[in-house]
Amino acid sequence: WACRSTPAEPAPKGRFWKGNTHTHTLWSDGDAAPELVVDRYRERGYEFLVLSDHNLLSRGERWFPIDGADSRLPRARVDELRARFGAAAVEEREIDGAQRMRLRTLDELRARFEEPGRFLLVEGEEVTDSVQGLQVHINALNVADVLPPQRGASVREVLDRNLAAIVEHGRATGRSVLAHVNHPNFVWSISWQDLASLVHERFFEIYNGHPKVHNDGDATRPGTEEMWDLANTLRLRELGLPPLLGLATDDAHHYFGDARERSNAFRGWIEVRAESLDVAALLAALRAGDFYASTGVALEDVRRSDRRYVVDIATEPGVTYVTRFTGVLRSGGERARTLAESAADPAVYELTGDELFVRATVISSRSQPNPAPGEAAERAWCQPWVPATR
């Protein structure tokens, strides 16, 4: 995409790369072989993908039962894999009286699918923990080993211990790693106050495509957008912490049959602006907040300065867009509110110097083709900006 900028604002370096950081396969509780999952994302124009199965990495030898009790790998799907990838791509053997198929490892997937500058696989794990029936799931990106759940006596302690372990893993291995907290409203487990307390990392899912995660909240509990603003207000006003940054993921589990009540692929993703398609560049851009989250809206550019917040939309014929600038003012009010709305492209918000933070959401007139329960309009979420005080 070409990026437009005013003469006073230098053009940003790099381009946007499309990717998903939360994906499941037969290695844990997904219903498709890893090679099929990777191939489908690649075919849909994704440029990077994180396979993030629960509490494991796609390594070693694992033989999955064909026509097993949980029915996730029927014989017909094995035949489809042979037809798609060739007879030699599928290995079968009988183990303990049952016919099984060997699952492909990440190294094998990389050898088959990766292309420099075109498609990248990032190793990941969904560190899956719980406390008193509440679920605390955190995705760890670019890890070198499996990181076991750290446990704890409360949600906040579980969050803190697991995030600290992921950060320490990166330090000890010399790797660039990144963690993001997943679906806070799954089983109504993580409060906005818990999110506000995060000190080891500052990423969470503003959107998750699983049908049971309550992105929009309910009559008495806030959705993830409101949680984002409440948490950031507390972090900036009282805790002295930088703002949380929001990702969109699909949390795909189901690759056969689309339905609102199934956790299908391609519902949410991120677009990361980096100079090259490699792990270090992508994670550095994420840490710099140079990315946006999307369920269908594409952007040409996002520019922020102490004077203006500018969003350029990659508009499509017949589709209309409203950009909503949301924020909190230093001079009054504890809750975020709409500071301005624009139907223009580019959408521009002129800062007054009174903003504690401001962020932008672009809302399309078009609905997602296969939405999860909740708000179906295609959207893009840009990261909160904390302007320097004047």
Side-chain angles (χ1 to χ4, degrees):
W1 293 321
C3 294
R4 301 196 300 268
S5 60
T6 65
E9 296 165 333
K13 295 181 179 180
R15 50 155 288 192
F16 285 114
W17 306 92
K18 180 178 181 177
N20 184 47
T21 62
H22 193 167
T23 320
H24 296 279
T25 74
L26 286 173
W27 277 94
S28 63
D29 57 348
D31 71 357
E35 61 266 40
L36 178 66
V37 173
V38 173
D39 200 37
R40 286 192 178 179
Y41 277 94
R42 189 179 61 122
E43 286 185 338
R44 285 290 290 260
Y46 284 69
E47 289 146 320
F48 68 93
L49 179 68
V50 180
L51 298 182
S52 57
D53 283 302
H54 296 279
N55 293 337
L56 58 81
L57 299 175
S58 307
R59 299 180 183 178
E61 190 169 288
R62 183 176 177 192
W63 294 83
F64 199 93
I66 301 170
D67 289 326
D70 71 0
S71 71
R72 284 190 290 151
L73 186 60
R75 168 58 62 184
R77 292 183 187 171
V78 179
D79 294 340
E80 290 173 10
L81 289 172
R82 282 198 173 92
R84 188 180 186 109
F85 300 110
V90 177
E91 295 181 40
E92 281 190 49
R93 72 169 53 163
E94 185 178 310
I95 301 175
D96 298 330
Q99 201 67 16
R100 297 172 184 264
M101 183 187 80
R102 187 174 70 82
L103 298 184
R104 295 295 171 182
T105 66
L106 183 70
D107 284 345
E108 291 174 302
L109 299 172
R110 282 174 164 161
R112 184 178 189 108
F113 295 108
E114 282 194 333
E115 296 181 65
R118 297 187 65 183
F119 186 75
L120 175 73
L121 287 166
V122 180
E123 191 152 36
E125 172 194 357
E126 184 168 16
V127 182
T128 306
D129 211 338
S130 64
V131 56
Q132 299 173 359
L134 301 176
Q135 297 296 311
V136 179
H137 298 188
I138 299 170
N139 269 24
L141 312 186
N142 197 38
V143 291
D145 301 292
V146 173
L147 301 178
Q150 297 298 300
R151 308 303 180 191
S154 67
V155 166
R156 201 165 297 186
E157 185 177 9
V158 172
L159 283 167
D160 187 71
R161 288 170 59 87
N162 280 290
L163 289 170
I166 295 167
V167 171
E168 172 57 24
H169 171 79
R171 188 202 64 77
T173 60
R175 298 170 71 90
S176 178
V177 301
L178 186 143
H180 64 74
V181 176
N182 298 340
H183 43 57
N185 279 343
F186 180 52
V187 202
W188 306 107
S189 296
I190 300 173
S191 70
W192 68 264
Q193 293 94 337
D194 295 327
L195 292 174
S197 74
L198 302 180
V199 295
H200 299 289
E201 273 289 17
R202 59 188 187 114
F203 297 87
F204 88 111
E205 291 178 341
I206 181 66
Y207 175 88
N208 177 295
H210 194 287
K212 297 181 180 180
V213 301
H214 309 291
N215 293 309
D216 296 336
D218 66 7
T220 60
R221 289 167 287 205
T224 51
E225 277 205 64
E226 185 179 359
M227 295 171 76
W228 196 11
D229 293 330
L230 288 167
N232 277 336
T233 302
L234 181 59
R235 289 170 70 85
L236 293 166
R237 274 217 167 116
E238 299 182 25
L239 303 182
L241 296 171
L244 297 175
L245 306 181
L247 297 88
T249 73
D250 57 39
D251 192 2
H253 290 70
H254 304 130
Y255 303 89
F256 301 93
D258 289 349
R260 291 176 71 89
E261 299 302 327
R262 292 174 66 76
S263 186
N264 294 135
F266 317 128
R267 283 177 171 162
W269 58 90
I270 53 175
E271 298 271 359
V272 184
R273 181 158 47 201
E275 292 191 67
S276 59
L277 183 63
D278 63 74
V279 176
L282 292 173
L283 297 191
L286 285 165
R287 293 199 178 284
D290 202 359
F291 71 98
Y292 67 91
S294 180
T295 61
V297 172
L299 304 180
E300 291 188 355
D301 192 17
V302 181
R303 303 185 299 279
R304 296 163 295 192
S305 70
D306 292 335
R307 297 183 297 109
R308 303 197 306 167
Y309 197 130
V310 182
V311 180
D312 277 350
I313 306 165
T315 58
E316 297 187 44
V319 181
T320 60
Y321 305 85
V322 172
T323 302
R324 181 179 300 151
F325 294 95
T326 302
V328 172
L329 299 180
R330 300 176 189 273
S331 59
E334 293 296 319
R335 301 183 74 88
R337 59 188 177 89
T338 299
L339 302 176
E341 284 191 353
S342 173
D345 177 42
V348 180
Y349 176 76
E350 300 285 349
L351 283 92
T352 67
D354 191 30
E355 294 84 359
L356 181 67
F357 71 87
V358 59
R359 62 177 179 84
T361 307
V362 183
I363 305 163
S364 167
S365 63
R366 184 172 60 193
S367 294
Q368 294 173 259
N370 174 34
E375 175 55 60
E378 291 183 338
R379 296 179 179 235
W381 293 271
C382 303
Q383 303 310 314
W385 181 245
V386 181
T389 56
R390 295 178 182 173

